[in-house]
């Protein structure tokens, strides 16, 4: 366990009674409220100082309502919830500007995520002119972009980054490699390539949920984490719990234990960068 407080770069908080999340109908374990008190209970044994909220794929047209709901929760938990990554329909191109402007009024607005992974059956979706234009607008508002892709979409993510050199990117969940199937390439090579862009960071998050939920082992997931840190270095990686989605495969403490096993030989400064400093700097917490 880290002997200093963690700043978690990737946490989901939500209440299905306040917003609609159609995808949860197929995931009963997640289809209930997960609020700050639940987070404290289920992270017991780990000292988490603060977190960044990341959007939860609410129903279409509820993205700004979700941001407003999170902002309201954050007002009662200002020490815990320090930043927000909201869903904005960037595929609208220039028409997304009004949504970005409205979102920018939220005090803890820091970044945007649009789930590219939902478009696995639409190769090139993230390279449409309007979507690229939407991403390119983000620096005007001081926003970063969270890249959430499945590993077959990494090539498109690389090209998106190439077309948006002024945008600060962070890859969620180490680009969701095919751990269940033991797949390594081309994920391994493409992670090395995307890490060559200096404006891209990566979250060490959501790894165990890409393995078999009920029987994954440390030996199975650790090589993927090691490769990610090797590609990006300790200056561009940040810890993410991906809670409560992570509960499908692991307790929060067990996930921290896995990451801590990987970085056991790192220096104190490197471990602090991974577990807190990089998230604080990237999301301006």
């Amino acid at each position: 366990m880290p002997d200093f407080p963690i700043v978690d770069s990737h946490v989901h908080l939500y209440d299905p009674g306040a917003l609609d999340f159609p995808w949860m109908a197929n995931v009963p374990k997640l289809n209930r409220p997960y609020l700050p008190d639940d987070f404290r209970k289920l992270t017991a044994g780990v000292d988490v100082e603060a977190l960044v909220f990341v959007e939860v794929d609410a129903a279409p047209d509820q993205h700004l309502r979700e941001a407003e709901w999170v902002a309201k929760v954050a007002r009662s938990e200002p020490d815990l919830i320090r930043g927000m990554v909201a869903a904005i329909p960037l595929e609208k191109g220039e028409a997304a500007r009004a949504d970005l402007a409205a979102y920018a009024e939220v005090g803890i607005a820091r970044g945007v995520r649009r789930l590219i992974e939902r478009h696995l059956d639409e190769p090139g979706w993230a390279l449409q002119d309007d979507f690229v234009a939407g991403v390119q607008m983000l620096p005007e508002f001081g926003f970063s972009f969270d890249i959430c892709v499945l590993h077959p979409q990494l090539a498109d993510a690389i090209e998106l980054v190439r077309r948006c050199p002024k945008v600060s990117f962070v890859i969620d969940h180490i680009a969701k490699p095919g751990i269940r199937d033991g797949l390594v390439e081309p994920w391994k090579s493409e992670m090395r390539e995307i890490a060559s862009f200096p404006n891209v960071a990566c979250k060490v998050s959501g790894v165990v949920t890409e393995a078999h939920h009920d029987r994954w082992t440390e030996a199975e997931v650790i090589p993927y984490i090691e490769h990610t840190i090797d590609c990006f270095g300790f200056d561009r990686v940040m810890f993410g719990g991906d809670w409560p989605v992570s509960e499908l495969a692991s307790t929060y403490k067990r996930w921290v234990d896995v990451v801590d096993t990987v970085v056991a030989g790192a220096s104190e400064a490197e471990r602090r960068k991974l577990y807190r400093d990089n998230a604080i700097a990237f999301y301006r917490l």
Side-chain angles (χ1 to χ4, degrees):
M1 261 320 111
D3 54 2
F4 50 81
I6 288 174
V7 174
D8 192 326
S9 70
H10 200 101
V11 172
H12 305 292
L13 300 167
Y14 57 87
D15 181 357
L19 295 159
D20 299 321
F21 303 96
W23 64 271
M24 288 185 192
N26 298 319
V27 194
K29 184 170 183 177
L30 299 180
N31 195 13
R32 69 168 183 82
Y34 280 92
L35 301 169
D37 285 345
D38 301 295
F39 181 74
R40 292 187 180 94
K41 178 181 178 182
L42 292 172
T43 60
V46 183
D47 185 2
V48 183
E49 175 184 328
L51 62 84
V52 175
F53 164 85
V54 178
E55 62 92 15
V56 197
D57 195 18
D61 301 324
Q62 291 191 2
H63 49 283
L64 289 177
R65 281 181 55 195
E66 181 182 46
E68 292 163 359
W69 180 85
V70 174
K72 181 179 179 181
V73 175
R75 285 193 289 274
S76 64
E77 297 277 358
D79 294 331
L80 180 66
I81 306 170
R82 304 263 188 91
M84 182 194 311
V85 178
I88 302 294
L90 299 177
E91 66 275 15
K92 291 163 56 176
E94 183 62 30
R97 186 178 295 277
D99 283 346
L100 288 169
Y103 172 48
E105 296 299 313
V106 178
I108 58 170
R110 295 294 185 270
V112 169
R113 181 168 85 157
R114 198 62 172 159
L115 288 177
I116 299 171
E117 69 171 3
R118 289 188 65 183
H119 302 276
L120 180 62
D121 296 331
E122 303 171 70
W125 183 87
L127 302 177
Q128 298 174 87
D129 289 346
D130 280 344
F131 186 78
V132 173
V135 174
Q136 289 173 339
M137 282 194 289
L138 296 180
E140 298 177 35
F141 299 89
F143 296 149
S144 57
F145 185 75
D146 271 51
I147 298 174
C148 189
V149 294
L150 296 162
H151 63 94
Q153 299 171 303
L154 248 180
D156 280 0
I158 291 167
E159 181 58 28
L160 177 64
V161 168
R162 184 175 287 113
R163 296 183 189 182
C164 304
K166 296 181 181 179
V167 178
S168 294
F169 290 97
V170 60
I171 300 169
D172 292 346
H173 316 323
I174 69 170
K176 296 195 170 185
I179 300 176
R180 286 184 195 86
D181 300 317
L183 297 178
V184 176
E185 292 291 356
W187 172 85
K188 188 174 183 180
S189 299
E190 289 173 341
M191 285 290 278
R192 182 75 65 187
E193 183 176 357
I194 201 166
S196 71
F197 293 88
N199 57 324
V200 182
C202 189
K203 292 182 184 179
V204 179
S205 61
V207 180
V208 293
T209 48
E210 297 310 306
H212 290 285
H213 290 178
D214 56 349
R215 61 178 190 274
W216 64 271
T217 65
E218 288 191 9
E220 185 181 14
V221 302
I222 280 177
Y224 293 89
I225 302 170
E226 290 177 331
H227 180 67
T228 298
I229 295 175
D230 184 59
C231 287
F232 286 89
F234 279 95
D235 287 336
R236 289 190 292 145
V237 289
M238 57 188 90
F239 171 83
D242 193 26
W243 183 92
V245 178
S246 56
E247 295 286 329
L248 297 173
S250 173
T251 63
Y252 194 93
K253 185 177 184 299
R254 187 183 178 195
W255 169 232
V256 177
D257 279 335
V258 171
V259 177
D260 223 34
T261 297
V262 174
V263 300
S267 69
E268 174 83 358
E270 289 171 332
R271 292 170 68 245
R272 282 182 172 270
K273 287 178 180 179
L274 168 68
Y275 278 118
R276 57 178 292 120
D277 294 351
N278 292 343
I280 291 170
F282 186 87
Y283 285 117
R284 308 182 314 281
L285 306 182

